[in-house]
Amino acid sequence: MDLDAVAARLGVPVEDVDRVHRLAGDLPSAPLPARADAPAILDRLAVPPDDAAEIMAGWPDPGSPLWTPELRWLLDRSIALVRADLGGSDWLPPGPELPRERSPAWRHLYVYAYLALVDVVTQYHRDHGIADAVSWATLADLGRNLAVDRRMRGEGWPVMQSWLTLHARGAVYELGRLQHHRGGTTVDLHIPESGPMTPEAVTASLDEARAFFPRHFPGERHTAFACGSWLLDPQLLEYLPEDSNIVRFQRRFELEPYEEPEGLDADVEVLRFVFRTLTTPLDRLPRRTVLQRAIADHLKAGRHWRIRRGHFPM
């Protein structure tokens, strides 16, 4: 395999291709579902119709002119790379960021990798006694993220392609209102875009997790819930009412000393999650909610948001 040639044809740095080659090696991949079965699977994964149509249009059929040898190699080795870390819980980019405007094959390559891993991870779930309802609720985050990426005109996916490898390896579980990310002695909390974050919904999700992890992962000892997010930035208290869901969520946590997160810009993350845009000028952002007005006014004043980390006993 001439990695320099592969990188040149893919239009990505050779270091990124070398990483895939190094981590995947000759490890086993996994087959995609049969094309005939794909629409039902995409529907079960909550993939919106427009995205499902694109995914089917770019399907890697044998002989498809959309799929060059280097694309097929990257798909196969990306699947192997993620599969090799089944059960792992660290951040894991599945491969280089591709120029997605070229065709559906380029745009959705990592979606095809995710689809190939559905059977692998659901078997992992079954081996741990996890109900199908939890498996499919968790894996349906694919559809939610594709919808967000479409709203963001493609600006969301570079982060999401790595985020979704957590689901495909059995690291993240959606239990009610929150997503729970196992790893080490903590369960990290993530907040999907799925409705109000009421105290009652949060408490129910936490209670479900307290029973879920000892039952399905008895060899792991989790002692605390944790979260690293701009939602825990105390500066929000300057803008939000005391009874807001975000303020009440913050109050659950004991904040850890602030450390600048490597590779993350809190202002970018806030814009990504609150407005689903990274390119709209501040004075043109919507101001429909108290939170939207708070985020925009804070940034317009030349101030910055911070990602804070906190925890509380499990």
Side-chain angles (χ1 to χ4, degrees), residues 252-279:
R252 296 176 185 266
F253 294 86
E254 177 184 343
L255 285 184
E256 300 170 7
Y258 178 69
E259 293 184 11
E260 191 76 29
E262 184 177 350
L264 277 179
D265 183 324
D267 292 343
V268 170
E269 295 307 303
V270 170
L271 293 171
R272 184 191 307 278
F273 285 97
V274 175
F275 298 103
R276 299 304 189 187
T277 179
L278 302 180
T279 55

PDB file of all heavy atoms in Angstrom, residues 252-279:
ATOM      1  N   ARG A 252     -25.966  20.497  40.695  1.00  0.00           N
ATOM      2  CA  ARG A 252     -25.674  19.116  41.074  1.00  0.00           C
ATOM      3  C   ARG A 252     -24.173  18.862  41.222  1.00  0.00           C
ATOM      4  O   ARG A 252     -23.763  17.900  41.874  1.00  0.00           O
ATOM      5  CB  ARG A 252     -26.231  18.145  40.016  1.00  0.00           C
ATOM      6  CG  ARG A 252     -27.747  18.163  39.882  1.00  0.00           C
ATOM      7  CD  ARG A 252     -28.184  17.248  38.753  1.00  0.00           C
ATOM      8  NE  ARG A 252     -29.617  17.316  38.507  1.00  0.00           N
ATOM      9  CZ  ARG A 252     -30.528  16.491  39.046  1.00  0.00           C
ATOM     10  NH1 ARG A 252     -30.129  15.521  39.854  1.00  0.00           N
ATOM     11  NH2 ARG A 252     -31.814  16.637  38.757  1.00  0.00           N
ATOM     12  N   PHE A 253     -23.346  19.725  40.614  1.00  0.00           N
ATOM     13  CA  PHE A 253     -21.926  19.421  40.452  1.00  0.00           C
ATOM     14  C   PHE A 253     -21.034  20.200  41.415  1.00  0.00           C
ATOM     15  O   PHE A 253     -21.304  21.366  41.731  1.00  0.00           O
ATOM     16  CB  PHE A 253     -21.477  19.744  39.018  1.00  0.00           C
ATOM     17  CG  PHE A 253     -22.094  18.875  37.975  1.00  0.00           C
ATOM     18  CD1 PHE A 253     -23.334  19.193  37.430  1.00  0.00           C
ATOM     19  CD2 PHE A 253     -21.456  17.732  37.534  1.00  0.00           C
ATOM     20  CE1 PHE A 253     -23.918  18.391  36.464  1.00  0.00           C
ATOM     21  CE2 PHE A 253     -22.031  16.929  36.570  1.00  0.00           C
ATOM     22  CZ  PHE A 253     -23.263  17.259  36.032  1.00  0.00           C
ATOM     23  N   GLU A 254     -19.965  19.546  41.809  1.00  0.00           N
ATOM     24  CA  GLU A 254     -18.839  20.231  42.446  1.00  0.00           C
ATOM     25  C   GLU A 254     -17.819  20.510  41.346  1.00  0.00           C
ATOM     26  O   GLU A 254     -17.280  19.576  40.725  1.00  0.00           O
ATOM     27  CB  GLU A 254     -18.215  19.374  43.536  1.00  0.00           C
ATOM     28  CG  GLU A 254     -16.996  19.996  44.189  1.00  0.00           C
ATOM     29  CD  GLU A 254     -16.329  19.095  45.202  1.00  0.00           C
ATOM     30  OE1 GLU A 254     -16.967  18.124  45.638  1.00  0.00           O
ATOM     31  OE2 GLU A 254     -15.151  19.355  45.534  1.00  0.00           O
ATOM     32  N   LEU A 255     -17.568  21.794  41.076  1.00  0.00           N
ATOM     33  CA  LEU A 255     -16.663  22.140  39.990  1.00  0.00           C
ATOM     34  C   LEU A 255     -15.218  21.821  40.362  1.00  0.00           C
ATOM     35  O   LEU A 255     -14.791  22.026  41.503  1.00  0.00           O
ATOM     36  CB  LEU A 255     -16.781  23.622  39.635  1.00  0.00           C
ATOM     37  CG  LEU A 255     -18.019  24.065  38.861  1.00  0.00           C
ATOM     38  CD1 LEU A 255     -17.913  25.543  38.525  1.00  0.00           C
ATOM     39  CD2 LEU A 255     -18.222  23.244  37.601  1.00  0.00           C
ATOM     40  N   GLU A 256     -14.475  21.339  39.377  1.00  0.00           N
ATOM     41  CA  GLU A 256     -13.047  21.106  39.536  1.00  0.00           C
ATOM     42  C   GLU A 256     -12.288  22.374  39.156  1.00  0.00           C
ATOM     43  O   GLU A 256     -12.832  23.243  38.459  1.00  0.00           O
ATOM     44  CB  GLU A 256     -12.629  19.931  38.649  1.00  0.00           C
ATOM     45  CG  GLU A 256     -13.356  18.632  39.005  1.00  0.00           C
ATOM     46  CD  GLU A 256     -13.143  17.520  37.998  1.00  0.00           C
ATOM     47  OE1 GLU A 256     -12.315  17.705  37.075  1.00  0.00           O
ATOM     48  OE2 GLU A 256     -13.821  16.476  38.127  1.00  0.00           O
ATOM     49  N   PRO A 257     -11.048  22.556  39.620  1.00  0.00           N
ATOM     50  CA  PRO A 257     -10.275  23.744  39.225  1.00  0.00           C
ATOM     51  C   PRO A 257     -10.221  23.869  37.703  1.00  0.00           C
ATOM     52  O   PRO A 257     -10.103  22.874  36.984  1.00  0.00           O
ATOM     53  CB  PRO A 257      -8.896  23.479  39.826  1.00  0.00           C
ATOM     54  CG  PRO A 257      -9.152  22.563  40.976  1.00  0.00           C
ATOM     55  CD  PRO A 257     -10.301  21.688  40.542  1.00  0.00           C
ATOM     56  N   TYR A 258     -10.295  25.098  37.222  1.00  0.00           N
ATOM     57  CA  TYR A 258     -10.351  25.313  35.776  1.00  0.00           C
ATOM     58  C   TYR A 258      -9.024  24.975  35.110  1.00  0.00           C
ATOM     59  O   TYR A 258      -7.954  25.370  35.563  1.00  0.00           O
ATOM     60  CB  TYR A 258     -10.716  26.760  35.448  1.00  0.00           C
ATOM     61  CG  TYR A 258     -10.729  27.029  33.957  1.00  0.00           C
ATOM     62  CD1 TYR A 258     -11.699  26.467  33.151  1.00  0.00           C
ATOM     63  CD2 TYR A 258      -9.739  27.815  33.371  1.00  0.00           C
ATOM     64  CE1 TYR A 258     -11.711  26.684  31.784  1.00  0.00           C
ATOM     65  CE2 TYR A 258      -9.746  28.043  31.999  1.00  0.00           C
ATOM     66  CZ  TYR A 258     -10.739  27.463  31.205  1.00  0.00           C
ATOM     67  OH  TYR A 258     -10.736  27.676  29.847  1.00  0.00           O
ATOM     68  N   GLU A 259      -9.111  24.234  34.029  1.00  0.00           N
ATOM     69  CA  GLU A 259      -7.965  23.953  33.166  1.00  0.00           C
ATOM     70  C   GLU A 259      -8.395  24.198  31.727  1.00  0.00           C
ATOM     71  O   GLU A 259      -9.468  23.753  31.306  1.00  0.00           O
ATOM     72  CB  GLU A 259      -7.483  22.507  33.326  1.00  0.00           C
ATOM     73  CG  GLU A 259      -6.888  22.190  34.677  1.00  0.00           C
ATOM     74  CD  GLU A 259      -6.339  20.772  34.740  1.00  0.00           C
ATOM     75  OE1 GLU A 259      -6.247  20.130  33.672  1.00  0.00           O
ATOM     76  OE2 GLU A 259      -6.018  20.317  35.844  1.00  0.00           O
ATOM     77  N   GLU A 260      -7.567  24.899  30.978  1.00  0.00           N
ATOM     78  CA  GLU A 260      -7.858  25.147  29.570  1.00  0.00           C
ATOM     79  C   GLU A 260      -7.892  23.816  28.821  1.00  0.00           C
ATOM     80  O   GLU A 260      -6.914  23.072  28.823  1.00  0.00           O
ATOM     81  CB  GLU A 260      -6.785  26.053  28.965  1.00  0.00           C
ATOM     82  CG  GLU A 260      -7.114  26.595  27.595  1.00  0.00           C
ATOM     83  CD  GLU A 260      -8.139  27.727  27.638  1.00  0.00           C
ATOM     84  OE1 GLU A 260      -8.196  28.449  28.662  1.00  0.00           O
ATOM     85  OE2 GLU A 260      -8.870  27.877  26.653  1.00  0.00           O
ATOM     86  N   PRO A 261      -9.014  23.458  28.200  1.00  0.00           N
ATOM     87  CA  PRO A 261      -9.078  22.160  27.515  1.00  0.00           C
ATOM     88  C   PRO A 261      -8.258  22.164  26.231  1.00  0.00           C
ATOM     89  O   PRO A 261      -8.337  23.108  25.439  1.00  0.00           O
ATOM     90  CB  PRO A 261     -10.569  21.993  27.223  1.00  0.00           C
ATOM     91  CG  PRO A 261     -11.107  23.381  27.176  1.00  0.00           C
ATOM     92  CD  PRO A 261     -10.279  24.196  28.121  1.00  0.00           C
ATOM     93  N   GLU A 262      -7.499  21.129  26.045  1.00  0.00           N
ATOM     94  CA  GLU A 262      -6.642  21.041  24.854  1.00  0.00           C
ATOM     95  C   GLU A 262      -7.493  20.765  23.613  1.00  0.00           C
ATOM     96  O   GLU A 262      -8.296  19.839  23.583  1.00  0.00           O
ATOM     97  CB  GLU A 262      -5.617  19.926  25.038  1.00  0.00           C
ATOM     98  CG  GLU A 262      -4.614  19.820  23.899  1.00  0.00           C
ATOM     99  CD  GLU A 262      -3.563  18.742  24.138  1.00  0.00           C
ATOM    100  OE1 GLU A 262      -3.510  18.215  25.266  1.00  0.00           O
ATOM    101  OE2 GLU A 262      -2.813  18.443  23.192  1.00  0.00           O
ATOM    102  N   GLY A 263      -7.321  21.612  22.613  1.00  0.00           N
ATOM    103  CA  GLY A 263      -7.987  21.395  21.336  1.00  0.00           C
ATOM    104  C   GLY A 263      -9.450  21.773  21.290  1.00  0.00           C
ATOM    105  O   GLY A 263     -10.129  21.473  20.306  1.00  0.00           O
ATOM    106  N   LEU A 264      -9.967  22.413  22.340  1.00  0.00           N
ATOM    107  CA  LEU A 264     -11.372  22.813  22.355  1.00  0.00           C
ATOM    108  C   LEU A 264     -11.489  24.303  22.611  1.00  0.00           C
ATOM    109  O   LEU A 264     -10.853  24.828  23.526  1.00  0.00           O
ATOM    110  CB  LEU A 264     -12.144  22.064  23.443  1.00  0.00           C
ATOM    111  CG  LEU A 264     -12.651  20.654  23.137  1.00  0.00           C
ATOM    112  CD1 LEU A 264     -13.367  20.092  24.350  1.00  0.00           C
ATOM    113  CD2 LEU A 264     -13.584  20.641  21.931  1.00  0.00           C
ATOM    114  N   ASP A 265     -12.292  24.980  21.814  1.00  0.00           N
ATOM    115  CA  ASP A 265     -12.592  26.400  21.997  1.00  0.00           C
ATOM    116  C   ASP A 265     -14.026  26.482  22.505  1.00  0.00           C
ATOM    117  O   ASP A 265     -14.969  26.137  21.803  1.00  0.00           O
ATOM    118  CB  ASP A 265     -12.436  27.137  20.665  1.00  0.00           C
ATOM    119  CG  ASP A 265     -12.651  28.633  20.796  1.00  0.00           C
ATOM    120  OD1 ASP A 265     -13.514  29.041  21.590  1.00  0.00           O
ATOM    121  OD2 ASP A 265     -11.963  29.398  20.084  1.00  0.00           O
ATOM    122  N   ALA A 266     -14.186  26.934  23.749  1.00  0.00           N
ATOM    123  CA  ALA A 266     -15.519  26.948  24.351  1.00  0.00           C
ATOM    124  C   ALA A 266     -16.486  27.829  23.566  1.00  0.00           C
ATOM    125  O   ALA A 266     -17.674  27.498  23.438  1.00  0.00           O
ATOM    126  CB  ALA A 266     -15.434  27.415  25.799  1.00  0.00           C
ATOM    127  N   ASP A 267     -16.026  28.948  23.046  1.00  0.00           N
ATOM    128  CA  ASP A 267     -16.912  29.820  22.272  1.00  0.00           C
ATOM    129  C   ASP A 267     -17.450  29.089  21.044  1.00  0.00           C
ATOM    130  O   ASP A 267     -18.632  29.210  20.692  1.00  0.00           O
ATOM    131  CB  ASP A 267     -16.169  31.087  21.834  1.00  0.00           C
ATOM    132  CG  ASP A 267     -15.807  31.999  22.995  1.00  0.00           C
ATOM    133  OD1 ASP A 267     -16.399  31.834  24.077  1.00  0.00           O
ATOM    134  OD2 ASP A 267     -14.930  32.864  22.823  1.00  0.00           O
ATOM    135  N   VAL A 268     -16.588  28.326  20.381  1.00  0.00           N
ATOM    136  CA  VAL A 268     -17.018  27.553  19.215  1.00  0.00           C
ATOM    137  C   VAL A 268     -18.030  26.489  19.627  1.00  0.00           C
ATOM    138  O   VAL A 268     -19.050  26.278  18.953  1.00  0.00           O
ATOM    139  CB  VAL A 268     -15.799  26.909  18.519  1.00  0.00           C
ATOM    140  CG1 VAL A 268     -16.248  25.915  17.452  1.00  0.00           C
ATOM    141  CG2 VAL A 268     -14.917  27.980  17.894  1.00  0.00           C
ATOM    142  N   GLU A 269     -17.762  25.805  20.742  1.00  0.00           N
ATOM    143  CA  GLU A 269     -18.674  24.756  21.190  1.00  0.00           C
ATOM    144  C   GLU A 269     -20.041  25.321  21.556  1.00  0.00           C
ATOM    145  O   GLU A 269     -21.071  24.710  21.270  1.00  0.00           O
ATOM    146  CB  GLU A 269     -18.062  24.006  22.383  1.00  0.00           C
ATOM    147  CG  GLU A 269     -16.796  23.238  22.045  1.00  0.00           C
ATOM    148  CD  GLU A 269     -16.995  22.306  20.868  1.00  0.00           C
ATOM    149  OE1 GLU A 269     -17.895  21.442  20.930  1.00  0.00           O
ATOM    150  OE2 GLU A 269     -16.276  22.443  19.858  1.00  0.00           O
ATOM    151  N   VAL A 270     -20.068  26.493  22.189  1.00  0.00           N
ATOM    152  CA  VAL A 270     -21.345  27.115  22.534  1.00  0.00           C
ATOM    153  C   VAL A 270     -22.134  27.451  21.265  1.00  0.00           C
ATOM    154  O   VAL A 270     -23.337  27.181  21.165  1.00  0.00           O
ATOM    155  CB  VAL A 270     -21.119  28.385  23.385  1.00  0.00           C
ATOM    156  CG1 VAL A 270     -22.424  29.159  23.544  1.00  0.00           C
ATOM    157  CG2 VAL A 270     -20.571  28.019  24.755  1.00  0.00           C
ATOM    158  N   LEU A 271     -21.475  28.054  20.286  1.00  0.00           N
ATOM    159  CA  LEU A 271     -22.154  28.380  19.029  1.00  0.00           C
ATOM    160  C   LEU A 271     -22.652  27.116  18.338  1.00  0.00           C
ATOM    161  O   LEU A 271     -23.755  27.091  17.770  1.00  0.00           O
ATOM    162  CB  LEU A 271     -21.213  29.152  18.110  1.00  0.00           C
ATOM    163  CG  LEU A 271     -20.825  30.558  18.572  1.00  0.00           C
ATOM    164  CD1 LEU A 271     -19.726  31.124  17.685  1.00  0.00           C
ATOM    165  CD2 LEU A 271     -22.035  31.491  18.570  1.00  0.00           C
ATOM    166  N   ARG A 272     -21.848  26.066  18.396  1.00  0.00           N
ATOM    167  CA  ARG A 272     -22.225  24.809  17.754  1.00  0.00           C
ATOM    168  C   ARG A 272     -23.517  24.253  18.365  1.00  0.00           C
ATOM    169  O   ARG A 272     -24.427  23.823  17.651  1.00  0.00           O
ATOM    170  CB  ARG A 272     -21.087  23.794  17.913  1.00  0.00           C
ATOM    171  CG  ARG A 272     -21.326  22.464  17.182  1.00  0.00           C
ATOM    172  CD  ARG A 272     -20.315  21.407  17.596  1.00  0.00           C
ATOM    173  NE  ARG A 272     -18.947  21.834  17.461  1.00  0.00           N
ATOM    174  CZ  ARG A 272     -18.253  21.819  16.327  1.00  0.00           C
ATOM    175  NH1 ARG A 272     -18.836  21.409  15.219  1.00  0.00           N
ATOM    176  NH2 ARG A 272     -17.001  22.210  16.299  1.00  0.00           N
ATOM    177  N   PHE A 273     -23.604  24.267  19.691  1.00  0.00           N
ATOM    178  CA  PHE A 273     -24.724  23.594  20.348  1.00  0.00           C
ATOM    179  C   PHE A 273     -25.945  24.492  20.550  1.00  0.00           C
ATOM    180  O   PHE A 273     -27.065  23.998  20.539  1.00  0.00           O
ATOM    181  CB  PHE A 273     -24.261  23.006  21.684  1.00  0.00           C
ATOM    182  CG  PHE A 273     -23.428  21.772  21.520  1.00  0.00           C
ATOM    183  CD1 PHE A 273     -22.052  21.834  21.537  1.00  0.00           C
ATOM    184  CD2 PHE A 273     -24.016  20.537  21.314  1.00  0.00           C
ATOM    185  CE1 PHE A 273     -21.269  20.703  21.363  1.00  0.00           C
ATOM    186  CE2 PHE A 273     -23.250  19.392  21.131  1.00  0.00           C
ATOM    187  CZ  PHE A 273     -21.878  19.472  21.160  1.00  0.00           C
ATOM    188  N   VAL A 274     -25.745  25.777  20.741  1.00  0.00           N
ATOM    189  CA  VAL A 274     -26.888  26.660  20.991  1.00  0.00           C
ATOM    190  C   VAL A 274     -27.511  27.136  19.684  1.00  0.00           C
ATOM    191  O   VAL A 274     -28.737  27.201  19.556  1.00  0.00           O
ATOM    192  CB  VAL A 274     -26.474  27.854  21.868  1.00  0.00           C
ATOM    193  CG1 VAL A 274     -27.635  28.836  22.035  1.00  0.00           C
ATOM    194  CG2 VAL A 274     -26.005  27.370  23.233  1.00  0.00           C
ATOM    195  N   PHE A 275     -26.665  27.460  18.702  1.00  0.00           N
ATOM    196  CA  PHE A 275     -27.178  28.038  17.457  1.00  0.00           C
ATOM    197  C   PHE A 275     -27.044  27.112  16.249  1.00  0.00           C
ATOM    198  O   PHE A 275     -27.606  27.392  15.197  1.00  0.00           O
ATOM    199  CB  PHE A 275     -26.448  29.353  17.159  1.00  0.00           C
ATOM    200  CG  PHE A 275     -26.648  30.406  18.209  1.00  0.00           C
ATOM    201  CD1 PHE A 275     -25.663  30.690  19.140  1.00  0.00           C
ATOM    202  CD2 PHE A 275     -27.844  31.102  18.283  1.00  0.00           C
ATOM    203  CE1 PHE A 275     -25.849  31.660  20.115  1.00  0.00           C
ATOM    204  CE2 PHE A 275     -28.045  32.074  19.248  1.00  0.00           C
ATOM    205  CZ  PHE A 275     -27.044  32.360  20.172  1.00  0.00           C
ATOM    206  N   ARG A 276     -26.264  26.051  16.381  1.00  0.00           N
ATOM    207  CA  ARG A 276     -26.018  25.138  15.272  1.00  0.00           C
ATOM    208  C   ARG A 276     -25.471  25.870  14.054  1.00  0.00           C
ATOM    209  O   ARG A 276     -25.867  25.609  12.911  1.00  0.00           O
ATOM    210  CB  ARG A 276     -27.278  24.349  14.914  1.00  0.00           C
ATOM    211  CG  ARG A 276     -27.807  23.468  16.039  1.00  0.00           C
ATOM    212  CD  ARG A 276     -26.768  22.487  16.542  1.00  0.00           C
ATOM    213  NE  ARG A 276     -27.329  21.494  17.473  1.00  0.00           N
ATOM    214  CZ  ARG A 276     -26.607  20.622  18.147  1.00  0.00           C
ATOM    215  NH1 ARG A 276     -25.290  20.613  18.013  1.00  0.00           N
ATOM    216  NH2 ARG A 276     -27.169  19.754  18.960  1.00  0.00           N
ATOM    217  N   THR A 277     -24.562  26.795  14.312  1.00  0.00           N
ATOM    218  CA  THR A 277     -23.856  27.485  13.230  1.00  0.00           C
ATOM    219  C   THR A 277     -22.527  27.963  13.771  1.00  0.00           C
ATOM    220  O   THR A 277     -22.411  28.305  14.958  1.00  0.00           O
ATOM    221  CB  THR A 277     -24.654  28.677  12.689  1.00  0.00           C
ATOM    222  OG1 THR A 277     -23.892  29.314  11.649  1.00  0.00           O
ATOM    223  CG2 THR A 277     -24.946  29.702  13.770  1.00  0.00           C
ATOM    224  N   LEU A 278     -21.526  27.987  12.904  1.00  0.00           N
ATOM    225  CA  LEU A 278     -20.217  28.520  13.274  1.00  0.00           C
ATOM    226  C   LEU A 278     -19.847  29.733  12.435  1.00  0.00           C
ATOM    227  O   LEU A 278     -18.789  30.319  12.636  1.00  0.00           O
ATOM    228  CB  LEU A 278     -19.135  27.436  13.101  1.00  0.00           C
ATOM    229  CG  LEU A 278     -19.334  26.150  13.896  1.00  0.00           C
ATOM    230  CD1 LEU A 278     -18.185  25.188  13.630  1.00  0.00           C
ATOM    231  CD2 LEU A 278     -19.453  26.422  15.390  1.00  0.00           C
ATOM    232  N   THR A 279     -20.712  30.114  11.507  1.00  0.00           N
ATOM    233  CA  THR A 279     -20.354  31.159  10.549  1.00  0.00           C
ATOM    234  C   THR A 279     -21.287  32.373  10.570  1.00  0.00           C
ATOM    235  O   THR A 279     -20.975  33.388   9.962  1.00  0.00           O
ATOM    236  CB  THR A 279     -20.339  30.585   9.118  1.00  0.00           C
ATOM    237  OG1 THR A 279     -21.612  29.963   8.850  1.00  0.00           O
ATOM    238  CG2 THR A 279     -19.240  29.539   8.968  1.00  0.00           C
TER     239      THR A 279
END
